[in-house]
Amino acid sequence: MTDWEERIRIFWLDASDADEESTLSSMHVLIAERRDDDPAATYEWASVHDFLGQEAEAIPLYRRALELGLDPVCLPQAQIQLASSLRNVGETTEAIRILEGVESDATIGDANEAFLALALFDAGRPGDALRVALKALGKTLPLYRGAIDHYADAIVEPK
């Protein structure tokens, strides 16, 4: 881990949404150390806006970070956070499209499925949302995974 990455890690440990101006200022100091086209810095700048409830400002920053090419650890995190921000501003169709392309891994676990379930619910697809959530939960149930998967597959959307 580089010194910059360690300072980012410490920033997030101490981050508070109580003092928006100070939080933005502290992150700005960190990202100003990097090139304008640094995907990690762009991702962190997007993340702090998202953290502060400024999803509309975070969305183009997440898109830029993704275009610039994030490392394999940050890539799914950025995709999930972009999709979550899109869902929060009412763009559920795009959020669903992004989340359906994110695969679970050791860093994010099944967070992609949790956020997909939320987006599906917001899109008026509660049956699909419940199905996704139950299948994600089923992975953690050694004795009942088969039963939960079966019941999840049997869910139909309400008319």
Side-chain angles (χ1 to χ4, degrees), residues 110 113-114 131-141 148-149:
D110 292 324
E113 295 179 66
R131 188 176 309 104
V132 167
L134 285 172
K135 290 218 174 234
L137 176 61
K139 295 175 193 176
T140 69
L141 306 172
I148 292 298
D149 281 351

Side-chain angles (χ1 to χ4, degrees), residues 5 9 12-13 21 52 61 64 66 70 91 121 129 155:
E5 291 168 328
R9 188 187 72 75
W12 285 114
L13 289 174
E21 189 174 318
L52 294 171
L61 294 166
R64 175 78 173 133
L66 291 166
L70 287 164
E91 295 183 35
F121 184 82
I155 294 171

Side-chain angles (χ1 to χ4, degrees), residues 14 18 21 24 28 44 47 53 59 63 71-73 75-76 86 89 95 104-105 108 129 131-132 146 149:
D14 296 334
E21 189 174 318
L24 282 171
H28 190 266
E44 296 297 343
S47 295
I59 290 168
R63 287 185 172 137
D71 68 67
V73 173
L75 176 63
L86 288 165
V89 300
S104 301
D105 68 23
I108 63 166
R131 188 176 309 104
V132 167
D149 281 351

Side-chain angles (χ1 to χ4, degrees), residues 7 16 30 37 80 88 104 111 150 157-158:
R7 287 184 291 131
S16 168
L30 290 167
D37 63 348
I80 288 171
N88 286 336
S104 301
H150 173 75
E157 286 293 336

Side-chain angles (χ1 to χ4, degrees), residues 41-150:
T42 305
Y43 165 69
E44 296 297 343
W45 192 232
S47 295
V48 77
H49 282 83
D50 192 0
F51 173 74
L52 294 171
Q54 301 172 2
E55 290 92 348
E57 291 86 352
I59 290 168
L61 294 166
Y62 282 134
R63 287 185 172 137
R64 175 78 173 133
L66 291 166
E67 288 170 10
L68 291 170
L70 287 164
D71 68 67
V73 173
C74 288
L75 176 63
Q77 295 172 59
Q79 291 170 314
I80 288 171
Q81 289 169 218
L82 169 60
S84 177
S85 291
L86 288 165
R87 180 183 81 75
N88 286 336
V89 300
E91 295 183 35
T92 56
T93 301
E94 187 175 359
I96 291 166
R97 182 190 59 74
I98 291 168
L99 291 164
E100 288 177 334
V102 178
E103 294 190 23
S104 301
D105 68 23
T107 302
I108 63 166
D110 292 324
N112 54 319
E113 295 179 66
F115 284 94
L116 176 58
L118 289 167
L120 288 166
F121 184 82
D122 285 354
R125 296 169 52 189
D128 289 336
L130 180 58
R131 188 176 309 104
V132 167
L134 285 172
K135 290 218 174 234
L137 176 61
K139 295 175 193 176
T140 69
L141 306 172
L143 295 177
Y144 298 101
R145 180 179 186 166
I148 292 298
D149 281 351
H150 173 75

